[in-house]
Amino acid sequence: MSTSRPGNKPRKDREAAEQWQGQWKLLRQRNRDAVPDTLGPPLVFSDRAASAAERERCGHRVGDHETGPHSRTVTSRLRMSCAGWRTVPTAAEFHEAIHRPSGTDRETAILLTWFHEADMAEQLDARLEGAYSWRQLVRALHRVGLTSGAAAERINRFAQR
């Protein structure tokens, strides 16, 4: 049994990943197309960053000035979903929420919006545009408690099995 000492965190993370993957395997024995609706732990997702070459291979043409903290897809989704906000969040704010969190209520609201509103194509495009790796996104969502429901199921499709 692991303890809560800091040196045991990687082991606990691996154990959580193995347990979640085992639960998914059991779920798939009953329904081969089943995907868990509880967000997997960060370790079951790739931490690989997207590149211009990967975007090209996928046919996703976007200028370098519309990637990373300036993701075209994130900008579009936030403008559509947050049109009624006093100040519409930017892709740069979303990027900060993922990569350098401050823990503010606004940051949580931005992540909540992405979690519930971004469809699968937008999630894929944002990753291709370098807004996040799957692991970075999942880590941020876990941090603010966004871990269940249909949105978690959508993201779980990108977990490594």
Side-chain angles (χ1 to χ4, degrees):
M1 174 176 250
S2 61
T3 65
S4 60
R5 291 190 322 234
N8 288 331
K9 183 158 175 28
R11 185 168 126 205
K12 287 178 78 170
D13 290 347
R14 279 193 314 277
E15 289 171 356
E18 289 169 3
Q19 180 181 11
W20 185 85
Q21 288 170 320
Q23 290 170 342
W24 190 353
K25 186 177 181 180
L26 289 173
L27 185 62
R28 289 179 66 93
Q29 288 174 351
R30 286 181 268 148
N31 175 352
R32 68 182 177 97
D33 298 323
V35 178
D37 65 357
T38 299
L39 190 61
L43 276 184
V44 301
F45 293 87
S46 170
D47 203 23
R48 187 173 54 83
S51 66
E54 183 179 6
R55 282 192 297 279
E56 183 66 30
R57 263 193 326 277
C58 292
H60 187 69
R61 290 174 177 78
V62 59
D64 288 341
H65 66 285
E66 293 181 303
T67 61
H70 308 290
S71 165
R72 174 174 48 182
T73 300
V74 173
T75 296
S76 176
R77 169 48 52 207
L78 291 177
R79 284 182 181 166
M80 287 186 288
S81 296
C82 303
W85 291 29
R86 192 174 305 259
T87 304
V88 174
T90 65
E93 285 181 281
F94 175 81
H95 197 267
E96 288 288 316
I98 299 286
H99 299 280
R100 286 173 292 289
S102 60
T104 65
D105 289 342
R106 181 172 172 87
E107 176 182 282
T108 300
I110 292 167
L111 291 171
L112 177 72
T113 300
W114 184 259
F115 183 68
H116 287 293
E117 304 261 342
D119 63 29
M120 193 172 291
E122 290 169 322
Q123 291 171 355
L124 281 165
D125 288 348
R127 194 202 78 70
L128 283 171
E129 293 167 10
Y132 50 73
S133 71
W134 293 118
R135 186 174 299 167
Q136 290 166 336
L137 174 63
V138 169
R139 187 175 292 125
L141 295 173
H142 272 280
R143 186 178 60 250
V144 297
L146 297 169
T147 60
S148 62
E153 186 177 327
R154 276 194 309 273
I155 295 168
N156 283 338
R157 293 182 185 281
F158 303 106
Q160 300 171 331
R161 292 181 245 165

